[in-house]
Amino acid sequence: MKKTSLILIFILAIGFILRIYRLEELVSFDIDQERTAWAAKRILVDKRPTLIGMETGYGGILMGPGYYYLFAIPYLLLKMDPVGAPIFAVTLSVLTTFLIFIVGRNLFGSRVGLLASLIYAISSYLVQFDRMVSSANLVMMISLFVLLALWAIKEEKKWGIYLLSFSLGFGLHNHFSLAFLLPIALFALLFVIPKPKIPRRSLVFSSVIFFLLLL
């Protein structure tokens, strides 16, 4: 176990170094980044909280505002310095690498978890992608949270249904593609997990969490 932990720390460090290297020179500041920066400025400087998020590229659907509030954090901490957002995106990618290991370990064992996290950490395409501030920053992480939640429900862990409801709800604050996790999760609960044991109280509270996020 100690050896696995050391290898995982090494993988996380490699992933972080590859993404943070020359970050300020390599990162771009285009429409998605500008939109997020203006939203943070509106929230933090203008003191004008928003209840709607970004508009989808196709269909004109408005997402929830959670993504804007999340990325307002680095702007707040670094006093509106634009480099704070890509640093935060890199931090999220390191957390995603760790989550890949957790999900891989729980489903297939530690070796698979380490290999999967290593592939993610050193992929040249993902290194470049994870530097960018985009509504897709959390797609992988939230998808992994849904997988982890379904595994937890299968293993009769009480926190699984809460993680599932939060992940599905918060996903609709980030990227429209995450809406497809809703039917996938429902299918898993109905046909893949044999008779999931979810206490009625937990089901009610998790439903409240989900619908509050939809507001």
Side-chain angles (χ1 to χ4, degrees), residues 34-125:
E34 292 173 1
R35 183 167 51 186
T36 303
W38 277 114
K41 186 256 185 186
R42 187 166 59 245
I43 294 168
L44 299 173
V45 179
D46 299 340
K47 309 298 182 184
R48 292 171 52 201
T50 178
L51 293 179
I52 57 173
M54 61 188 67
E55 184 178 345
T56 58
Y58 298 96
I61 300 172
L62 291 169
M63 307 300 293
Y67 178 85
Y68 285 156
Y69 285 99
L70 184 65
F71 270 83
I73 296 174
Y75 280 103
L76 174 64
L77 295 177
L78 294 183
K79 299 180 180 180
M80 300 305 296
D81 189 336
V83 79
I87 290 175
F88 189 59
V90 167
T91 304
L92 290 176
S93 74
V94 174
L95 294 175
T96 300
T97 309
F98 175 74
L99 193 57
I100 288 173
F101 166 75
I102 295 297
V103 173
R105 182 193 63 183
N106 289 337
L107 295 179
F108 306 108
S110 295
R111 290 185 178 181
V112 172
L114 288 173
L115 179 60
S117 60
L118 176 63
I119 292 172
Y120 183 89
I122 65 175
S123 166
S124 59
Y125 173 79

Side-chain angles (χ1 to χ4, degrees), residues 14-211:
I14 289 296
F16 178 76
I17 291 171
L18 289 175
R19 286 158 174 78
I20 206 72
Y21 175 69
R22 295 176 59 202
L23 178 66
E24 195 167 355
E25 300 173 39
L26 297 174
V27 75
S28 66
F29 198 79
D30 210 331
I31 182 168
D32 285 344
Q33 297 76 43
E34 292 173 1
R35 183 167 51 186
T36 303
W38 277 114
K41 186 256 185 186
R42 187 166 59 245
I43 294 168
L44 299 173
V45 179
D46 299 340
K47 309 298 182 184
R48 292 171 52 201
T50 178
L51 293 179
I52 57 173
M54 61 188 67
E55 184 178 345
T56 58
Y58 298 96
I61 300 172
L62 291 169
M63 307 300 293
Y67 178 85
Y68 285 156
Y69 285 99
L70 184 65
F71 270 83
I73 296 174
Y75 280 103
L76 174 64
L77 295 177
L78 294 183
K79 299 180 180 180
M80 300 305 296
D81 189 336
V83 79
I87 290 175
F88 189 59
V90 167
T91 304
L92 290 176
S93 74
V94 174
L95 294 175
T96 300
T97 309
F98 175 74
L99 193 57
I100 288 173
F101 166 75
I102 295 297
V103 173
R105 182 193 63 183
N106 289 337
L107 295 179
F108 306 108
S110 295
R111 290 185 178 181
V112 172
L114 288 173
L115 179 60
S117 60
L118 176 63
I119 292 172
Y120 183 89
I122 65 175
S123 166
S124 59
Y125 173 79
L126 291 171
V127 167
Q128 181 181 358
F129 178 82
D130 287 342
R131 294 191 184 111
M132 305 299 298
V133 176
S134 163
S135 60
N137 285 126
L138 294 172
V139 168
M140 176 75 80
M141 180 182 290
I142 292 175
S143 301
L144 289 165
F145 272 133
V146 170
L147 277 176
L148 184 62
L150 292 171
W151 169 84
I153 292 172
K154 179 179 179 296
E155 297 296 319
E156 300 182 10
K157 298 182 183 295
K158 294 182 179 179
W159 52 267
I161 188 64
Y162 296 111
L163 179 61
L164 181 64
S165 61
F166 178 81
S167 300
L168 293 175
F170 191 69
L172 299 177
H173 289 245
N174 293 272
H175 199 280
F176 185 70
S177 64
L178 290 171
F180 292 101
L181 291 176
L182 290 167
I184 292 173
L186 184 61
F187 179 84
L189 291 174
L190 292 176
F191 302 108
V192 178
I193 301 174
K195 297 180 179 179
K197 297 179 180 179
I198 304 173
R200 183 175 298 178
R201 180 180 296 181
S202 298
L203 190 60
V204 171
F205 287 158
S206 61
S207 298
V208 170
I209 293 171
F210 177 74
F211 285 110

